[in-house]
Amino acid sequence: MQHQQTIRRLRRLRQTETVRNLFKETTLTLNDLILPIFVEEEINDYQPIASMPGIFRIPEHKLPYEIERIAKAGLKSVMLFGISHHLDEIGSDTWQEKGLVARMSKACKDTVPEMLIMSDTCFCEYTSHGHCGVLGRNGVDNDATLLNLGRQAVTAANAGADFIAPSAAMDGQVSAIRDALDKAGFTATGIMSYSTKFASTLYGPFREAAGSCLIGDRKSYQMDPMNRHEAIRESLIDEQEGADVLMIKPAGAYLDIIRDIRERTQLPLAAYQVSGEFAQIKFAAKAGAINEIDVALETLGAIKRAGANLILSYFALDLAEKKHL
Ligand SMILES: [Zn+2]
């Protein structure tokens, strides 16, 4: 039986669960996950988000309770998104000492000091037009927005945020924020940049979650999903500007980009499994087409296998509370 000697038997390493576990190349733990949460001011009750089953806008007064719950489940980090009732043309509430951005970080730190707080740093939930910065004659004014990003970052750091996470997709935002933080004495505050952020239609459910009032699109500042070289450049420039962590958003449809950037940087890499990715899995599971938890774990594992060290995911709390991880 000469041909038997030539068969390469990979099934040897798959025979039992013990063997499979021993040779598993990628593992997912709660340490890898960051939970994005939506916090709305001036509401009394949790607001369900129809396009994201199981996810709610948290009333601000419930934030301490939720942070305790998240910590108890074993998660170590959250990304804070505020839903403001104080909109203006430039999103000035974001840098008020008593504004929503500051209050969220402070409430979390006062309740669970060891919870790592990532402060999403943008303006789209605080501007009356829903864009990610100051509007000028030709759309969002890049450099005017940079100044305000610096202000917001310092306010968040002062309130206790551990990481500033700029998502405005402005050129130069990382160096502007690093400068502002350092000048204000926050040299220990990190920057996790949304360094490669695509203008994706998969953000659809988030718009409902965050109560976006945007008319038009963000294609003049977020990236074309068809561009690979530009995607790599975007992240590498943020590394040069001093980012501590890079991020690719969305994640599941951009595994090639995660891998491309992984191969070109030594920085930690995060990836954001966005609302549309979450909704696809949720609704397919609700229709009985797939198993929700299995698919959630498989997609998160794939994002990690592609090269992400950290994953932002709306599944994080459920997976933690039900002890799937
Ligand atoms: Zn924005």
Side-chain angles (χ1 to χ4, degrees):
M1 295 279 285
Q2 197 194 348
H3 81 273
Q4 280 198 339
Q5 290 169 353
T6 61
I7 293 176
R8 299 293 181 263
R9 297 193 181 276
L10 275 70
R11 288 184 57 190
R12 279 187 205 112
L13 304 188
R14 296 175 197 156
Q15 291 179 78
T16 66
E17 190 162 4
T18 311
V19 174
R20 290 193 292 273
N21 282 337
L22 191 62
F23 295 102
K24 197 181 287 294
E25 297 180 31
T26 305
T27 51
L28 192 67
T29 75
L30 292 184
N31 290 336
D32 305 322
L33 299 179
I34 300 167
L35 178 70
I37 58 174
F38 304 104
V39 180
E40 182 163 2
E41 61 183 356
E42 298 175 2
I43 58 168
N44 284 322
D45 302 317
Y46 286 84
Q47 303 288 320
I49 300 161
S51 55
M52 300 176 73
I55 305 294
F56 296 81
R57 292 189 195 177
I58 300 165
E60 188 184 354
H61 66 92
K62 287 283 189 187
L63 181 54
Y65 166 82
E66 288 294 327
I67 281 294
E68 273 185 346
R69 176 184 165 203
I70 291 162
K72 207 171 148 213
L75 291 171
K76 315 291 164 57
S77 180
V78 292
M79 174 74 79
L80 298 175
F81 291 96
I83 292 129
S84 174
H85 290 203
H86 293 86
L87 311 180
D88 65 18
E89 283 287 300
I90 53 176
S92 66
D93 187 65
T94 57
W95 64 83
Q96 303 305 321
E97 213 176 306
K98 298 241 155 66
L100 181 57
V101 167
R103 295 198 310 269
M104 289 189 295
S105 278
K106 185 167 186 314
C108 293
K109 276 291 163 189
D110 285 352
T111 313
V112 184
E114 62 275 19
M115 178 69 68
L116 277 180
I117 303 303
M118 316 264 180
S119 190
D120 181 80
T121 302
C122 195
F123 301 98
C124 41
E125 285 114 55
Y126 299 85
T127 52
S128 44
H129 43 72
H131 274 289
C132 299
V134 179
L135 278 189
R137 232 174 259 159
N138 303 309
V140 175
D141 181 329
N142 193 86
D143 297 11
T145 302
L146 291 184
L147 275 176
N148 294 345
L149 281 167
R151 290 181 176 128
Q152 181 181 162
V154 169
T155 300
N158 190 43
D162 299 286
F163 281 84
I164 302 304
S167 60
M170 294 297 117
D171 290 331
Q173 62 182 7
V174 172
S175 55
I177 288 172
R178 187 70 271 160
D179 262 16
L181 288 173
D182 289 352
K183 280 191 185 123
F186 295 106
T187 53
T189 306
I191 298 177
M192 180 165 84
S193 174
Y194 290 69
S195 51
T196 297
K197 184 174 182 184
F198 291 97
S200 172
T201 46
L202 288 163
Y203 305 148
F206 179 97
R207 303 259 159 94
E208 182 197 346
S212 172
C213 34
L214 180 72
I215 296 163
D217 60 51
R218 304 186 205 277
K219 289 179 185 172
S220 75
Y221 38 107
Q222 296 177 356
M223 273 203 54
D224 184 338
M226 297 300 110
N227 291 0
R228 152 173 266 146
H229 298 295
E230 187 188 3
I232 297 167
R233 285 184 72 202
E234 278 283 9
S235 273
L236 295 185
I237 287 170
D238 281 20
E239 175 171 11
Q240 289 164 7
E241 289 185 23
D244 300 285
V245 188
L246 302 176
M247 191 206 296
I248 292 100
K249 182 182 181 183
Y254 297 85
L255 296 181
D256 55 330
I257 304 296
I258 294 174
R259 171 54 48 180
D260 282 338
I261 294 171
R262 175 73 286 160
E263 286 171 350
R264 287 165 177 81
T265 181
Q266 304 304 320
L267 289 186
L269 204 55
Y272 199 138
Q273 184 182 52
V274 301
S275 57
E277 297 176 71
F278 175 83
Q280 287 176 24
I281 295 170
K282 276 281 179 183
F283 286 109
K286 271 178 178 284
I290 58 172
N291 177 293
E292 178 188 325
I293 296 297
D294 289 348
V295 176
L297 290 170
E298 183 175 331
T299 52
L300 291 168
I303 293 164
K304 201 168 170 208
R305 188 201 63 229
N309 309 96
L310 295 166
I311 307 169
L312 294 106
S313 172
Y314 301 101
F315 287 111
L317 185 57
D318 209 28
L319 293 174
E321 284 190 326
K322 294 182 180 155
K323 309 244 179 279
H324 294 292
L325 287 173

